Amino acid sequence: MTIKEAILKSLEELKELSTHTQVYNHLIENKYYEFTKGKTPERTVSALLGDFIRSGDTRIKRVKGNGNFYLYYHTKNEQLVDTQNIVEDISVKSITSKKENIKYHERDLHILLSSYLNSKNIHSKTILHEVSKNNNDNHQKWIHPDMIGIDFLKLQTKTTQQFVKVLNTRDIFKITSYEVKKEINTDYELKKCYFQAVSNSSWANLSNEL
């Protein structure tokens, strides 16, 4: 698919008045085209949208927004778009849409949790369950937490030198298991995540769901 075909497909699927930023975000999100050259691909999309108009291509039309920008739409969706009542804050909508399209994974949150735990003098580590010897087990999520943290309660410089001996005493450290979730949408998911965290309580002092 060429970049122009990707732009046309994106506008057809958006089915609304869209800024060049929204077209670009939709194009990237759906992987319709991969930009391998150029440092400003978003501006390239803007320029090509202008080319469609200047060349008289009837597949794309545009209207002036309430500001220094244009809103584009595919003529196939002409009956669906309202060109008479342009939303005044469409530029804000465009910015919001761009932020909402930013994707992140659950493990991207680990560094935030680790940073917080560090401020509490708790040492943490991510558990990579995919490298477990039992990785083919469907119940891996009930066996391994996402992260573990260890809080040395009384470990000082002198006792560090005799760490092995110190391990035989009480109240030296506390181990916490953490289950990190990007989002929980239903009560069922909440209960499932809760018991997933509790399943590690047999070996950890505390189990937390975040």
Side-chain angles (χ1 to χ4, degrees):
M1 182 182 304
T2 66
I3 184 171
K4 284 193 172 184
E5 290 172 339
I7 290 173
L8 285 167
K9 186 174 179 63
S10 295
L11 269 179
E12 184 177 353
E13 292 177 352
L14 284 168
K15 297 181 180 180
E16 63 178 355
L17 293 171
S18 305
T19 64
H20 74 276
T21 298
Q22 289 172 293
V23 175
Y24 168 75
N25 288 337
H26 186 86
L27 184 155
I28 294 299
E29 183 180 2
N30 291 279
K31 300 179 181 179
Y32 289 152
Y33 186 81
E34 183 177 351
F35 291 89
T36 56
K37 296 181 180 180
K39 297 182 179 180
T40 56
E42 189 174 327
R43 290 185 181 179
T44 299
V45 171
S46 178
L48 289 174
L49 283 167
D51 287 343
F52 277 109
I53 302 299
R54 286 187 290 273
S55 64
D57 195 313
T58 57
R59 292 174 295 180
I60 291 182
K61 291 185 179 181
R62 73 181 181 187
V63 293
K64 189 73 178 293
N66 291 300
N68 190 27
F69 60 91
Y70 286 100
L71 300 169
Y72 299 86
Y73 64 95
H74 200 294
T75 51
K76 285 186 177 181
N77 303 320
E78 197 155 16
Q79 300 301 317
L80 301 176
V81 299
D82 184 2
T83 58
Q84 300 301 317
N85 299 300
I86 307 298
V87 181
E88 291 185 359
D89 61 348
I90 189 68
S91 58
V92 176
K93 179 182 177 183
S94 174
I95 296 172
T96 303
S97 175
K98 185 175 181 179
K99 290 181 178 179
E100 289 177 348
N101 283 330
I102 298 175
K103 292 186 176 182
Y104 65 94
H105 300 285
E106 186 178 284
R107 279 190 181 161
D108 293 331
L109 300 174
H110 288 204
I111 190 170
L112 298 176
L113 176 58
S114 180
S115 178
Y116 168 75
L117 294 176
N118 237 8
S119 69
K120 301 294 183 181
N121 294 318
I122 298 175
H123 305 278
S124 61
K125 181 177 178 61
T126 293
I127 302 300
L128 303 176
H129 64 81
E130 62 268 24
V131 299
S132 169
K133 292 181 180 179
N134 298 318
N135 192 40
N136 293 326
D137 191 337
N138 291 327
H139 301 288
Q140 281 300 300
K141 60 184 179 182
W142 300 99
I143 298 175
H144 302 302
D146 291 320
M147 294 180 68
I148 60 170
I150 182 167
D151 185 5
F152 292 101
L153 303 177
K154 293 184 179 180
L155 197 59
Q156 304 297 326
T157 303
K158 291 182 180 180
T159 57
T160 302
Q161 298 172 2
Q162 300 177 352
F163 184 70
V164 176
K165 293 181 180 180
V166 174
L167 287 177
N168 294 323
T169 65
R170 298 180 61 185
D171 300 328
I172 297 303
F173 59 84
K174 178 173 64 180
I175 296 179
T176 305
S177 67
Y178 300 93
E179 280 297 328
V180 182
K181 301 300 177 187
K182 186 170 69 173
E183 59 182 0
I184 298 177
N185 298 311
T186 65
D187 289 341
Y188 170 75
E189 288 181 3
L190 177 60
K191 292 176 183 177
K192 187 176 179 181
C193 294
Y194 170 76
F195 286 109
Q196 187 178 338
V198 171
S199 67
N200 295 309
S201 61
S202 60
W203 57 266
N205 298 96
L206 296 171
S207 293
N208 290 329
E209 175 76 31
L210 303 167

